[in-house]
Amino acid sequence: MIFEHAPSCEPERQYYFIEQCRTLLQAQKERTGRQLSYKITTFGCQMNAKDSEKLEGILKQIGFLAAEDEKEADLNIYNTCTVRENANQKVYGHLGLLKSLKEKAPHKMIALCGCMMQEPDEVATVRISYPFVDIVFGTHNIFKLAELLCRKLSGEKQVIDVWEGTDQIVEDLPAVRKYSFKSGVNIMYGCNNFCSYCIVPYVRGRERSRKPEEILKEIRELVADGVVEVMLLGQNVNSYGKNLDEPMTFAELLRQVEQIDGLERIRFMTSHPKDLSDELIQVMKESKKICRHLHLPLQSGSSRILKAMNRKYDKEQYLELAMKLRREIPDLSLTTDIIVGFPGETEEDFLDTLDVVQKVQYDSAFTFIYSKRTGTPAASMENQVPEEEVKKHFSVLLSAVQEISARMSSRDLGKTLPALVEEVNEKNPSLVTGRLGNNVMVHFPGDASMIGKIYPVWLKESKGFYYIGERIDE
Ligand code: 5AD
Ligand code: SF4
């Protein structure tokens, strides 16, 4: 009956299922005298963190309470990541723990979603080896959580709903925010680049841009609700808008976001070097709100490896771009991602990566050991690099990156810069922790009433990767 009467269009359909779940949950509460609780455990990137906020919005609206930890929760959701092998293994570790809990309390529900569930082999593993998992869904249909829960609560044993792809973007569903004063905002989904090592295009599908009016509306609403900083999210924000009915550039979108009154800071993530335009550099230069921070993944400094990675730029082009950015926006903080041990990487290739690291002087860098992802072109390449050699290179790279980063992170010592207060310092409650525009943290005297506000802070002492400061009265 419940399913026969459901509207067919979205988001109305999901609001209908939210109501149905509410009623089912209420009946359960009357029976047991207890309101059910949830815990979402999120793995991976900012995109997943944002998806988890959407899931949480739906659960809150249904009437679930937030649980402190996994053991206590009646519904556990694992929002998974599959970008590297170790991310997958972590999830199975959690499932092992939950199995014994569920044996003692069979009413507990477990849901798996996110990137790992877009892989048919992983879903098959869950089906065969983890039959106690109640709900499985993917990255394309997280908006359907209420409907899937309804199916489970109406008696289905294991609900599996994973879509291969979609061109649908469902707007206007509830979401909660982890922070009251800052928020991620999706501007596009998916990726079309097919870097040869990367599984993301297979699990997040093709590039889809949200309409600018939807993005601007969401940001205006966030600002009205107290948000002062937004992070525009996409796998490759520089190709935003190319597939819209009325195409527009990412730089143009930024210009429009800048106009929103009350919004103080704009960040974005991630930029692919091949698509970073002069127009974007210009907009960043002129902007009063765009933070002086650019995450520009290098992946490798060797032109030969970059070609095998299908990155579509070479060492010289990357260096030229990085130098142009340093020249045009001198206070820009540049950060990056680097992979060590891509198939066929030689000593010489690795030295090229080190060379770029030395020349660009990154403010910080995430370094990864290459992880073979089944189904990607690199997985079937010959010459996988021996583990010993990869580990050796990884540790050389890590020390180079850390030494540079410590130096770069203290380059503003003595200056007074605006910091957005994020929280009271965990270790010392007489201090607050603020974030500078370039993403470096500063701890300075203050209290909880300052959270969410921006103050000028004198950076009086550098501690390597963060500062100790003092608030300066304007
Ligand atoms: N192995 C190691 N690192 C990877 N990344 C993506 N795929 C892999 C892989 N197979 C890294 C890239 C990317 C970051 C998010 O994760 O550096 O920029
Ligand atoms: Fe993966 Fe490359 Fe797309 Fe980034 S740009 S998500 S590394 S395929």
Side-chain angles (χ1 to χ4, degrees):
M1 275 303 265
I2 292 181
F3 294 91
E4 272 164 31
H5 291 129
S8 56
C9 58
E10 300 292 5
E12 292 76 5
R13 184 175 170 88
Q14 295 314 313
Y15 278 104
Y16 168 86
F17 281 114
I18 286 173
E19 278 314 305
Q20 297 299 326
C21 282
R22 264 186 95 83
T23 314
L24 290 167
L25 221 64
Q26 192 60 28
Q28 195 145 347
K29 187 180 167 194
E30 275 156 27
R31 244 187 354 260
T32 61
R34 227 165 53 80
Q35 186 113 351
L36 293 192
S37 64
Y38 72 92
K39 172 82 188 162
I40 303 179
T41 308
T42 310
F43 301 88
C45 67
Q46 310 252 8
M47 212 56 93
N48 263 18
K50 179 72 193 177
D51 283 350
S52 289
E53 292 187 356
K54 294 179 184 171
L55 295 172
E56 205 168 345
I58 295 171
L59 293 177
K60 284 246 161 92
Q61 190 124 348
I62 290 174
F64 279 94
L65 297 176
E68 284 290 315
D69 65 30
E70 283 169 83
K71 289 194 205 101
E72 207 182 277
D74 300 295
L75 166 64
N76 264 295
I77 300 187
Y78 295 97
N79 191 0
T80 63
C81 168
T82 186
V83 78
R84 283 170 293 275
E85 179 64 30
N86 54 3
N88 292 40
Q89 279 154 5
K90 275 192 214 153
V91 174
Y92 290 122
H94 282 262
L95 287 184
L97 166 84
L98 281 206
K99 185 177 183 211
S100 54
L101 285 177
K102 195 164 166 160
E103 276 160 5
K104 286 181 213 123
H107 79 281
K108 280 186 191 282
M109 288 184 284
I110 304 169
L112 293 177
C113 64
C115 294
M116 199 175 137
M117 295 303 113
Q118 289 296 139
E119 293 181 272
D121 286 355
E122 301 294 348
V123 176
T125 304
V126 171
R127 212 193 283 263
I128 295 161
S129 310
Y130 300 88
F132 56 92
V133 170
D134 300 282
I135 304 175
V136 175
F137 56 108
T139 55
H140 301 299
N141 57 347
I142 57 155
F143 69 91
K144 275 183 75 179
L145 175 62
E147 182 171 344
L148 303 177
L149 263 173
C150 227
R151 279 170 58 186
K152 179 65 207 177
L153 293 170
S154 318
E156 226 176 288
K157 188 141 177 31
Q158 190 176 48
V159 181
I160 299 186
D161 187 7
V162 179
W163 300 359
E164 235 178 76
T166 185
D167 51 13
Q168 198 180 1
I169 297 179
V170 178
E171 300 281 359
D172 295 327
L173 277 165
V176 299
R177 291 202 311 276
K178 192 162 169 216
Y179 299 95
S180 60
F181 52 89
K182 67 172 184 177
S183 178
V185 174
N186 293 111
I187 63 164
M188 59 197 301
Y189 302 94
C191 179
N192 285 356
N193 291 313
F194 291 95
C195 300
S196 62
Y197 51 82
C198 186
I199 199 147
V200 168
Y202 305 91
V203 296
R204 290 249 168 206
R206 294 295 67 70
E207 244 170 56
R208 282 150 287 141
S209 295
R210 281 178 78 195
K211 293 196 182 97
E213 54 274 22
E214 295 285 358
I215 297 169
L216 294 166
K217 178 170 151 252
E218 179 178 343
I219 300 177
R220 275 190 212 102
E221 285 167 4
L222 287 169
V223 169
D225 201 29
V227 164
V228 291
E229 177 179 305
V230 289
M231 165 84 91
L232 308 180
L233 296 172
Q235 303 296 348
N236 176 15
V237 292
N238 296 327
S239 66
Y240 171 79
K242 285 186 182 156
N243 53 5
L244 286 170
D245 291 342
E246 288 172 51
M248 91 188 279
T249 61
F250 177 54
E252 182 52 35
L253 178 72
L254 281 173
R255 275 198 199 98
Q256 297 190 16
V257 174
E258 173 107 18
Q259 301 303 317
I260 296 177
D261 280 338
L263 180 66
E264 308 210 37
R265 277 183 172 181
I266 305 168
R267 299 181 183 278
F268 54 84
M269 183 96 115
T270 289
S271 290
H272 194 305
K274 80 178 166 66
D275 296 315
L276 198 140
S277 66
D278 286 347
E279 188 194 8
L280 177 66
I281 299 176
Q282 198 54 35
V283 169
M284 284 186 84
K285 256 175 94 167
E286 287 163 6
S287 169
K288 295 207 166 41
K289 297 185 179 174
I290 301 174
C291 291
R292 296 298 192 243
H293 173 217
L294 195 68
H295 188 65
L296 196 65
L298 166 69
Q299 313 299 7
S300 166
S302 150
S303 297
R304 203 176 66 81
I305 295 294
L306 286 168
K307 193 161 174 41
M309 286 178 161
N310 192 29
R311 289 291 288 176
K312 304 200 174 76
Y313 54 84
D314 61 19
K315 180 183 179 184
E316 283 65 39
Q317 285 164 326
Y318 186 96
L319 278 175
E320 214 171 284
L321 177 61
M323 295 312 146
K324 192 198 299 183
L325 285 161
R326 288 261 187 249
R327 206 168 48 238
E328 296 283 330
I329 315 173
D331 55 347
L332 184 71
S333 153
L334 265 178
T335 61
T336 202
D337 293 341
I338 300 171
I339 298 176
V340 178
F342 184 83
E345 188 179 68
T346 62
E347 186 71 23
E348 207 183 337
D349 296 318
F350 175 69
L351 291 177
D352 270 331
T353 298
L354 270 187
D355 187 41
V356 176
V357 164
Q358 294 296 351
K359 289 196 166 114
V360 176
Q361 299 274 303
Y362 292 106
D363 292 76
S364 81
F366 295 104
T367 49
F368 305 108
I369 287 184
Y370 167 72
S371 170
K372 189 171 169 176
R373 309 312 292 130
T374 309
T376 61
S380 50
M381 285 180 189
E382 285 167 12
N383 307 325
Q384 304 277 333
V385 185
E387 199 179 316
E388 280 304 296
E389 200 173 318
V390 179
K391 285 197 173 143
K392 198 180 75 197
H393 284 163
F394 185 80
S395 86
V396 172
L397 178 67
L398 195 63
S399 14
V401 155
Q402 281 176 342
E403 190 221 301
I404 296 170
S405 176
R407 194 160 5 96
M408 291 301 280
S409 303
S410 57
R411 67 178 154 147
D412 292 319
L413 185 66
K415 287 188 195 159
T416 297
L417 293 175
L420 170 59
V421 177
E422 299 203 335
E423 57 193 7
V424 172
N425 191 296
E426 271 176 21
K427 293 197 193 106
N428 179 350
S430 71
L431 299 179
V432 288
T433 299
R435 191 181 292 272
L436 301 172
N438 64 7
N439 238 353
V440 176
M441 308 304 284
V442 53
H443 306 288
F444 60 103
D447 59 48
S449 70
M450 293 160 72
I451 293 173
K453 298 195 190 98
I454 296 178
Y455 297 93
V457 178
W458 171 49
L459 308 175
K460 68 172 186 183
E461 192 185 334
S462 167
K463 293 280 191 186
F465 299 99
Y466 64 91
Y467 292 102
I468 301 295
E470 225 164 80
R471 180 178 160 189
I472 302 292
D473 287 321
E474 283 161 295

